Amino acid sequence: EPWGAALDALLATGEGQLPHLIVPTPSGMPFTQSMARALAAEPWLAFACGRYEGIDERVIEEAASRMPVSLVSLGDFVLNGGEAAVLAMVEAVARLLPGVIGNAASLVEESYEDGLLEYPVYTKPASWRGLDVPPILLSGNHAAIAAWRHAQRLERTRTRRPDLLADDPEAAQPDA
């Protein structure tokens, strides 16, 4: 009953608009960057966090009869409640909203935006504890820097997340 009352109150505040209810659960669809983009385009998101065993299935079924509902998982692990999962989802979605990130163009080369992980990032100074920034990044040759970054993205993805390249056999193989 507390869930029913909460959902009734939620729907009563919408003035004809329905929220998209997101329920974090280990049995949900995997949360991805693509899903974050889709959710960022939604006009109204609501999150329902269960504890321990989650939310009674009847609550989810009844909610789905009145509004869009998505069951979403952060990964192949279990948390005591959905709050930490929702925090991660809100962070991923909110940063895609216009005006949240100062330079929206910077979002384009991030991990998962095109199926690859992001290239290594270096800051100042050029040398730190005997470790140097790769010389190509200091060259000023923007085409060479872009090529280096792309090669690094492919290699990093091949090494750390080969599953992301499973549909692209050429990208999955190191350059000869």
Side-chain angles (χ1 to χ4, degrees), residues 39-131:
L39 293 175
E42 293 275 350
W44 182 12
L45 299 176
F47 296 88
C49 300
R51 293 298 293 170
Y52 304 111
E53 289 298 322
I55 299 172
D56 189 301
E57 192 67 23
R58 295 169 294 179
V59 171
I60 295 166
E61 288 176 22
E62 199 274 337
S65 74
R66 302 195 292 161
M67 68 188 90
V69 175
S70 294
L71 305 176
V72 181
S73 172
L74 282 192
D76 298 338
F77 56 90
V78 178
L79 301 169
N80 282 335
E83 298 84 1
V86 166
L87 180 62
M89 286 185 252
V90 167
E91 174 97 6
V93 170
R95 65 191 308 278
L96 298 173
L97 298 174
V100 172
I101 299 293
N103 179 6
S106 69
L107 297 172
V108 174
E109 291 185 336
E110 291 185 322
S111 292
Y112 309 110
E113 280 302 318
D114 63 356
L116 298 175
L117 299 180
E118 188 174 13
Y119 49 79
V121 175
Y122 296 91
T123 60
K124 294 180 181 180
S127 184
W128 179 76
R129 295 188 179 189
L131 301 169

Side-chain angles (χ1 to χ4, degrees), residues 108-172:
V108 174
E109 291 185 336
E110 291 185 322
S111 292
Y112 309 110
E113 280 302 318
D114 63 356
L116 298 175
L117 299 180
E118 188 174 13
Y119 49 79
V121 175
Y122 296 91
T123 60
K124 294 180 181 180
S127 184
W128 179 76
R129 295 188 179 189
L131 301 169
D132 296 330
V133 170
I136 190 72
L137 298 179
L138 303 174
S139 71
N141 183 334
H142 297 289
I145 292 169
W148 180 88
R149 285 178 170 167
H150 182 70
Q152 292 296 310
R153 295 179 78 218
L154 282 171
E155 181 57 30
R156 182 172 274 193
T157 305
R158 271 195 287 275
T159 303
R160 298 180 183 179
R161 290 291 308 276
D163 57 299
L164 296 175
L165 299 172
D167 292 336
D168 188 353
E170 281 188 37

Side-chain angles (χ1 to χ4, degrees), residues 7-8 10-11 18-21 46 60 62-69:
L7 292 173
D8 291 343
L10 177 71
L11 289 171
L18 296 175
H20 184 153
L21 185 65
I60 295 166
E62 199 274 337
S65 74
R66 302 195 292 161
M67 68 188 90
V69 175

